[in-house]
Amino acid sequence: MTEPTNMADERLKSVLESILFLSDKPVPLGKFVEVLEESSNDEVRKALDEMKTEYARESSGLDLVEVANGYQLRSKQINTPWIFKLHKAKPVRLSRAALETLSIVAYRQPVTRPEVDEIRGVDSGPVLRNMLERNLVRILGKREEPGHPLIYGTTKEFLEFFSLRSLSDLPTLREYTELGEESLATLEKLLPEDKPDEAASLTANGDLEAQPPQEDSSPSVSETHLAEAEPLPEPQESSNEDEQTHTP
């Protein structure tokens, strides 16, 4: 039996494009190499990098992006208004409470609900339940301490939603706390003028249903608490049983 020969560059790109087109989730580099046994890791990565450059042209309606530790074809952000018209959808909205809670979980994970409550100063149970239902947060297990509280972390869907390759792409705490008044003022302009405390509008590839803003009078996450965050660990694997049977 003869050894398979390397696939020609253009043929390799054609196969990669077909795999990407038919995948509804980001495809890890290892999965491409597993399917394309005749191509090496370096050859596949080189082809994907060239495809990213080709898709980056203004004439293309798609982008090849690295997200959630994989590669995914997405419509160009500038074309979002027409995509929403096609699906008769509105931009996804996350409440200020949801953004605060997600920020705390992302930077402090693994973290318990009492720890989230302590930082926010209010009961975060309903918000955590909503984030669990939307698959942005998951249960990692239970902490070995009195009461055995559930511990939470972010999901791959969280990375996809915020277009992050991995958790290491999150801004550092120094960058976060260096947001000046000018940046915060710019953010406020993005909020509805008649309801400045409501949700910031976040677009996530148009695949999540718009949710009405949640009312919440809680204070914003303080820089003091965020500055105390420990280095970000890799999320742990959780059992399906925990995710299905436990709620915050």
Side-chain angles (χ1 to χ4, degrees), residues 110-136:
V111 64
T112 65
R113 172 182 161 184
E115 290 170 335
V116 176
D117 292 348
E118 181 181 359
I119 294 175
R120 294 192 62 234
V122 295
D123 180 8
S124 301
V127 183
L128 278 171
R129 278 195 292 272
N130 182 266
M131 295 300 97
L132 281 167
E133 290 171 359
R134 299 181 70 167
N135 225 18
L136 297 176

Side-chain angles (χ1 to χ4, degrees), residues 99-101 103-104 107-108 115-121 173 176-177 218-229:
L99 290 174
E100 286 181 358
T101 302
S103 297
I104 295 168
Y107 282 96
R108 297 296 297 267
E115 290 170 335
V116 176
D117 292 348
E118 181 181 359
I119 294 175
R120 294 192 62 234
L173 293 178
Y176 185 92
T177 55
S218 61
S220 298
V221 180
S222 69
E223 295 177 0
T224 301
H225 282 104
L226 284 176
E228 296 172 354

